[in-house]
């Protein structure tokens, strides 16, 4: 078994040329503890669950993807900005690299779904999504809504949260959950890793976070239990490199 790379809040250099750039904005993390054996049973060969404090962690993450660019081209019109809501966990690949594993990524663009599934082997799903904001006495409140159309029609999510104070000194759990500089996907029967590069996440606390969802169970996992661990971020610019 290879040594597992250390978790660090600063992004390593991007070894490969970026093939895509974008911005991830107005993002929130809803995380729950899971039995590592349960999560491992849902992962492919060559990918093992990563743990913190004896637990695996599963998340629902809503955000707005903005200004998607392919190489040096201008942002794609219409296709380049949309809401995404994904279900994810944290894993280690065969080379000992800490990565993100996605069970689903729901977006409202059928072209994005087709390209992502075909080219990147990522489980994108077509869904009706919506992101709205309002101003309250406590601050700016965000709401994300999603209903899946394809495949496995009917999975839903409805989340809302108010942005709290900045977290000036993220703790070890914050770094474990957010300092992830790549993803792994099962591609042609083999686990393949890809790199992403972005600045450190500027994290904020969440006030009065709510969630009503069925997308975790739709991923084949038990429904989450208890209150989630909550964080949000105004976002970061991102570069994406090709798989190794």
């Amino acid at each position: 078994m290879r040594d597992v790379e250390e978790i660090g809040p600063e992004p390593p250099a991007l070894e490969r040329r970026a093939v895509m750039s974008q911005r991830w904005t107005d993002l929130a993390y809803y995380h729950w503890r899971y039995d590592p054996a349960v999560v491992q049973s849902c992962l492919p060969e060559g990918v093992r669950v990563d743990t913190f404090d004896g637990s695996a962690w599963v998340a629902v993450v809503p955000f707005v993807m903005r200004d998607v660019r392919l190489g040096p081209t201008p942002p794609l019109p219409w296709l380049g900005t949309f809401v995404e809501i994904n279900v994810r966990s944290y894993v280690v690949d065969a080379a000992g690299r800490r990565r993100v594993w996605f069970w689903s990524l729901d977006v409202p663009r059928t072209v994005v779904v087709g390209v992502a599934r075909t080219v990147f082997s990522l489980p994108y799903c077509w869904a009706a999504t919506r992101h709205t904001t309002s101003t309250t006495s406590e601050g700016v409140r965000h709401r994300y809504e999603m209903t899946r159309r394809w495949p496995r029609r009917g999975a839903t999510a409805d989340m809302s949260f108010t942005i709290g104070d900045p977290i000036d000194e993220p703790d070890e759990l914050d770094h474990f959950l957010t300092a992830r500089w790549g993803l792994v996907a099962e591609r042609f029967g083999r686990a393949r890793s890809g790199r992403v590069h972005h600045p450190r996440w500027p994290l904020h606390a969440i006030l009065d976070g709510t969630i009503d969802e069925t997308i975790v169970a739709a991923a084949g996992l038990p429904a989450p239990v208890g209150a989630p661990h909550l964080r949000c971020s105004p976002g970061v610019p991102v570069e994406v490199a090709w798989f190794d």
Side-chain angles (χ1 to χ4, degrees):
M1 183 181 298
R2 298 196 181 188
D3 292 338
V4 177
E5 67 181 0
E6 296 292 325
I7 294 175
E10 298 299 333
L14 195 64
E15 303 93 349
R16 292 170 175 258
R17 180 174 60 88
V19 296
M20 186 182 302
S21 64
Q22 55 215 229
R23 291 188 297 129
W24 299 342
T25 65
D26 301 321
L27 179 144
Y29 294 100
Y30 290 73
H31 278 104
W32 295 268
R33 288 180 181 266
Y34 270 73
D35 181 342
V38 170
V39 173
Q40 186 64 57
S41 69
C42 298
L43 299 176
E45 184 178 352
V47 178
R48 56 192 171 95
V49 64
D50 202 0
T51 62
F52 183 92
D53 193 26
S55 295
W57 294 79
V58 172
V60 176
V61 179
F63 65 99
V64 180
M65 179 95 74
R66 298 187 187 276
D67 300 334
V68 175
R69 300 169 183 257
L70 300 175
T73 63
L76 297 172
W78 185 73
L79 286 174
T81 297
F82 50 85
V83 171
E84 178 179 311
I85 298 172
N86 63 61
V87 178
R88 66 200 288 180
S89 191
Y90 307 101
V91 300
V92 179
D93 71 7
R97 297 170 294 193
R98 285 188 150 103
R99 294 292 187 252
V100 177
W101 172 264
F102 294 102
W103 280 288
S104 62
L105 308 95
D106 283 273
V107 300
R109 302 285 190 264
T110 54
V111 172
V112 173
V113 172
V115 170
R117 281 180 170 263
T118 303
V119 177
F120 296 100
S121 298
L122 289 169
Y124 270 78
C125 304
W126 178 40
T129 64
R130 186 168 70 158
H131 171 234
T132 55
T133 62
S134 58
T135 302
T136 72
S137 59
E138 293 184 315
V140 178
R141 188 160 186 84
H142 293 257
R143 184 179 183 184
Y144 285 93
E145 300 168 87
M146 183 280 289
T147 300
R148 185 173 298 160
R149 293 172 169 168
W150 182 92
R152 300 178 298 279
R153 185 182 182 93
T156 61
D158 189 343
M159 296 158 280
S160 61
F161 61 93
T162 300
I163 302 172
D165 292 333
I167 299 173
D168 296 326
E169 296 185 10
D171 60 22
E172 290 185 12
L173 178 58
D174 288 324
H175 291 318
F176 176 85
L177 299 175
T178 66
R180 298 279 162 165
W181 313 111
L183 59 90
V184 62
E186 190 173 22
R187 183 170 170 77
F188 304 122
R190 177 182 164 212
R192 304 287 297 274
S193 283
R195 273 290 318 279
V196 298
H197 185 270
H198 56 75
R200 290 179 62 167
W201 284 105
L203 296 176
H204 289 245
I206 280 181
L207 306 176
D208 190 26
T210 67
I211 182 168
D212 182 9
E213 55 76 31
T214 65
I215 53 174
V216 174
L221 291 159
V225 176
H229 178 275
L230 300 172
R231 291 288 185 265
C232 64
S233 177
V236 291
V238 180
E239 292 180 304
V240 181
W242 189 246
F243 288 107
D244 59 15

